[in-house]
Amino acid sequence: MKYLYTSLTFLFFFVNIYAQENIITVKVNEPQDTISKHIYGHFAEHLGRGIYDGFYVGKDSKIPNTNGIRTDVVEALRELQIPVLRWPGGCFAEQYQWRDGIGPVDERPLVVNTFWGGVTEDNSFGTHEFLQLCEMLDTEPYIAVNIASGTVKDASQWIEYVTSDKDSEVTRLRKQNGREKPWDVKFWGIGNENWGCGGSMDANYYTNVFKRYSTYCNAEYKIASGGEWDDLDWTRTFMTKIKEVPNFIDIAHGMSYHYYTIANDWTVKGSATDFVEEEWFRSMDQTMKMEDNLKDHIAIMDEHDPDNKIALIADEWGTWYDVEEGTNPGFLYQQNTLRDALVAALGLNIFNNNARRIKMANIAQTVNVLQAMILTKEEQMVKTPTFYLFKMYKEHQDAVQLPSDFQGKTYKTEQGEIPTLSVSASKNGKGEIHVSIANVHPRADLKTTLDLQGLNKLNTVSASIISADKMNSFNDFGKEEQVKIASFDAFKKKKGKLEIEIPAKSVIQFKVQ
Ligand code: AHR
């Protein structure tokens, strides 16, 4: 009898596990932090064809524009509700002299962009043009000041030029240049990658420099440079030393974090379009690993700043491949496939799920550079798979994060094993729940149950999907789009849950009302 009972218990347990083999749980009644809309931010550097050709073609171009800013690109990007745009770099920020980029365009000095391609920078896109672009996009600007080859005075006067309503030499200059009222610019970066291209500083030295600049930079929200992605000592040193400043929160509001997804290694990064499954796996695996790395940095920040006052700002992230054949190696131009949309989904799921400390993220970079939303070729424009992913995910902006979890099959290869699904969920002010699910397996569809725990009734449910025939499907100039958002209906309600057939290599978003 005892034997029979044990066997039945085992059988029941086994059947139960099998029946629930793949299950996503969302805890609707346990709302967490607000997912800052700034997590859906972008980055635009004076690099390759990002600014020039991408955003800016100049007033005399035959390509339709307003004051030189491309109409088609602005119209497309407005679909994404970009909340914040970081500029002018990147590494370029540390060579940028803001005074070169104001005043009559034909009087602006020519300089050489030593970081990116050694090309001539004519400074025709400067502070006024950038802030006009932000107004056109209805986005908040985030400006990084030069602390490696500039001075404290340069940085503080730039901030005064842009934001002050007081009478001074620089605000008179701004008015003389056609802008009477100050702009409202909240976010200012104090340097960029100061461990590397921003002056090869160590954490101790940088923190002292940061304190000096930050004390004289009269800005609302100041963001310090973080260390290299795996440099936990940098984070520890910065957090320890910044706390020595009384009222440290007046000078430091965020610390930056950069993490790029490389499918191979930094010497041979691999092609953006011509790749094999091993490279697909490594892109997914490496992006998923960002979460553990972020958690390590966050644990140090929690230890030193338990009140969560200093935010982690992931202001550069995304895929980085070898440049497209035949293009300038210093321009970082790459195509963008379905793989990139999946990587973007994984990254955004990670940021959504760690929204307590992560208050901003800026994918690199918006147009024609690295993991771009838009690619341009003269007057033509392409919306990339990553564009559509950001369009789909904008629903999470400023919504409240809901805990979610996936238990089930893994995607196993000779190189390792990762969860097949990545999930994040949120509830917005209208009470709508959005659950975003990425299936990283390139060959296997997955039958999955979605259990929205705490929801009495599943009323209206709708869903959309991003997928394509091939791992490397992409959108090309003059051709029909291969990757875009479509509606999705391979699911049914069963006993208050959803049973879903999640196609291989896809991202799905459910909206539940
Ligand atoms: O995004 C390209 C470059 O990557 C940035 O200029 C720099 O900050 C990072 O190393």
Side-chain angles (χ1 to χ4, degrees), residues 43 45 47 90-91 116 192-193 258 260 316 320 365 370:
F43 171 37
E45 179 168 10
L47 194 177
C91 296
W116 303 115
N192 170 73
E193 291 195 356
H258 293 178
Y260 283 100
E316 284 185 34
W320 192 324
Q365 301 191 6
L370 298 176

Side-chain angles (χ1 to χ4, degrees), residues 259-283:
Y259 187 100
Y260 283 100
T261 295
I262 313 286
N264 293 301
D265 58 51
W266 278 99
T267 37
V268 182
K269 294 183 278 299
S271 161
T273 49
D274 186 10
F275 58 87
V276 292
E277 189 179 331
E278 281 76 18
E279 289 166 289
W280 166 282
F281 176 86
R282 282 198 292 271
S283 295

Side-chain angles (χ1 to χ4, degrees), residues 451-464:
D451 183 7
L452 290 149
Q453 289 180 356
L455 200 70
N456 298 334
K457 204 169 167 241
L458 285 172
N459 291 326
T460 329
V461 182
S462 57
S464 53

